[in-house]
């Protein structure tokens, strides 16, 4: 995922630097820093940093927004605050299993955690990649579905993928519009979508 992100940004810089700087007015110094190694934090380490940031925050509104307890997923204020200290994308790993989808594999050393990660972009753009290892054990998958209170009959096709043969595998998804917003330095993701959903638009 990090190699992919680095490759995309480098190719854009090589092929479209003029459009970024002259047309969009993008400060490409931020993009030039998208290279390995990316900073990595576990969810627990990130939570410790957020607690410290909340304690030091004097603005009561932001202080409230930074409030988070173990097991909660990050919101935009948390992601923005974490990335404030790094000049390149940040990778957060080992999220609590309860915050992730039922098919995410539990960590072998601590079943409260998942084998997962998010890539957060600097400058307040937040999560642009999310991924992790998928559960390849059918019995654990069924147990996870029960914990998430999901009807097994609606996911039987997914269970059958494990029943009739599966291998250990992982994957990730990249938010294309979020990546475009980050690369182009746009104020809102709506600007990257051909037909964005707006309050008064019913059809394209």
């Amino acid at each position: 995922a990090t190699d992919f992100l680095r490759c995309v940004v480098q190719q854009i810089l090589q092929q479209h630097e003029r459009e970024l700087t002259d047309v969009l007015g993008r400060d490409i110094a931020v993009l030039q820093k998208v290279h390995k190694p990316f900073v990595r934090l576990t969810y627990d380490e990130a939570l410790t940093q957020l607690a410290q940031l909340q304690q030091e925050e004097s603005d009561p509104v932001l202080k409230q927004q930074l409030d988070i307890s173990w097991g909660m997923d990050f919101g935009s204020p948390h992601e923005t605050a974490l990335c404030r200290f790094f000049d390149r994308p940040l990778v957060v790993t080992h999220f609590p299993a309860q915050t992730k989808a039922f098919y995410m594999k539990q960590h072998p050393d601590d079943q409260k955690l998942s084998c997962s990660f998010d890539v957060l972009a600097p400058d307040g753009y937040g999560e642009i990649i999310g991924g992790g290892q998928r559960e390849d054990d059918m019995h654990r998958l069924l147990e996870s579905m029960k914990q998430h209170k999901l009807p097994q009959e609606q996911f039987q096709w997914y269970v059958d993928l494990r029943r009739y043969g599966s291998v250990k595998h992982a994957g990730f998804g990249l938010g294309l519009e979020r990546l475009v917003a980050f690369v182009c330095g746009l104020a809102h993701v709506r600007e990257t979508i051909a037909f964005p959903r707006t309050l008064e638009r019913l059809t394209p």
Side-chain angles (χ1 to χ4, degrees), residues 90-147:
L90 168 67
V91 181
V92 182
T93 66
H94 301 97
F95 282 83
Q98 66 191 53
T99 70
K100 294 299 181 180
F102 75 94
Y103 52 76
M104 200 70 75
K105 192 169 186 67
Q106 294 176 335
H107 195 281
D109 298 329
D110 187 347
Q111 294 192 355
K112 296 192 305 294
L113 303 178
S114 60
C115 299
S116 60
F117 73 95
D118 285 350
V119 179
L120 312 179
D123 291 347
Y125 286 98
E127 178 191 341
I128 52 177
I129 293 179
Q133 187 174 349
R134 308 304 190 242
E135 182 56 73
D136 52 274
D137 184 288
M138 186 185 72
H139 301 293
R140 289 187 178 180
L141 186 66
L142 289 169
E143 184 60 33
S144 179
M145 289 170 63
K146 288 180 184 176
Q147 292 172 359

Side-chain angles (χ1 to χ4, degrees), residues 27-200:
D27 178 6
I28 62 171
V30 177
L31 302 178
Q32 290 170 334
K33 294 174 181 175
V34 179
H35 56 77
K36 296 172 69 176
F38 289 11
V39 178
R40 292 181 183 231
L41 295 176
T42 66
Y43 175 87
D44 288 348
E45 290 170 339
L47 223 60
T48 300
Q49 285 206 5
L50 286 170
Q52 181 67 31
L53 289 171
Q54 185 192 29
Q55 187 177 1
E56 297 170 354
E57 184 57 54
S58 57
D59 183 340
V61 175
L62 188 53
K63 195 177 189 74
Q64 176 63 32
Q65 290 177 342
L66 289 176
D67 188 36
I68 188 171
S69 57
W70 198 95
M72 295 173 59
D73 203 358
F74 296 148
S76 179
H78 306 115
E79 294 171 347
T80 300
L82 283 172
C83 291
R84 195 186 311 158
F85 299 96
F86 309 108
D87 61 357
R88 69 193 66 188
L90 168 67
V91 181
V92 182
T93 66
H94 301 97
F95 282 83
Q98 66 191 53
T99 70
K100 294 299 181 180
F102 75 94
Y103 52 76
M104 200 70 75
K105 192 169 186 67
Q106 294 176 335
H107 195 281
D109 298 329
D110 187 347
Q111 294 192 355
K112 296 192 305 294
L113 303 178
S114 60
C115 299
S116 60
F117 73 95
D118 285 350
V119 179
L120 312 179
D123 291 347
Y125 286 98
E127 178 191 341
I128 52 177
I129 293 179
Q133 187 174 349
R134 308 304 190 242
E135 182 56 73
D136 52 274
D137 184 288
M138 186 185 72
H139 301 293
R140 289 187 178 180
L141 186 66
L142 289 169
E143 184 60 33
S144 179
M145 289 170 63
K146 288 180 184 176
Q147 292 172 359
H148 284 78
K149 298 179 181 178
L150 296 172
Q152 183 179 332
E153 60 275 9
Q154 293 185 17
F155 292 91
Q156 194 58 49
W157 64 273
Y158 193 83
V159 176
D160 286 345
L161 293 174
R162 304 296 182 267
R163 187 190 314 276
Y164 299 116
S166 183
V167 294
K168 292 182 179 180
H169 62 289
F172 66 88
L174 178 141
L176 181 60
E177 291 86 0
R178 294 187 188 192
L179 176 63
V180 172
F182 167 60
V183 169
C184 296
L186 302 177
H188 199 284
V189 72
R190 279 195 302 266
E191 298 178 55
T192 71
I193 303 171
F195 302 106
R197 289 178 294 176
T198 57
L199 189 62
E200 298 179 354

